[in-house]
Amino acid sequence: MKPSVEEIARVICAGDLREAGVPTDILADAVERLWPVVAARIGQGDSAGFASLPTDLKQREHEYARLTGPKLEAENNHF
């Protein structure tokens, strides 16, 4: 069975956060909150296969960029 956009986004998000040094005790909560950022990137800004984008997606994008560091933020200038 093909993985969903959400499943792929969660895996990518967890990897990015882990690589950025996010502590393991908050990793699961951070992934739960931030996976829609990755899903929106995969879907190039549309609903990316889930019911609706979070209303605070821009705030979550900034949080994701802050946590993952300037490298990803520079690569994704749409923040």
Side-chain angles (χ1 to χ4, degrees):
M1 186 170 165
K2 184 177 175 183
S4 69
V5 171
E6 178 179 341
E7 291 169 322
I8 294 167
R10 286 176 177 277
V11 168
I12 293 169
C13 182
D16 286 349
L17 295 174
R18 208 176 290 113
E19 184 177 310
V22 171
T24 56
D25 61 327
I26 66 165
L27 185 63
D29 289 339
V31 170
E32 185 62 34
R33 176 168 168 67
L34 298 174
W35 73 264
V37 173
V38 178
R41 290 178 183 175
I42 292 169
Q44 298 179 350
D46 69 12
S47 62
F50 49 93
S52 64
L53 293 170
T55 57
D56 65 344
L57 184 64
K58 287 293 179 194
Q59 179 182 344
R60 293 181 194 207
E61 288 174 340
H62 290 288
E63 182 179 350
Y64 190 82
R66 181 181 54 79
L67 288 171
T68 58
K71 177 179 177 254
L72 285 179
E73 189 173 1
E75 291 173 2
N76 297 291
N77 292 327
H78 64 276
F79 287 112

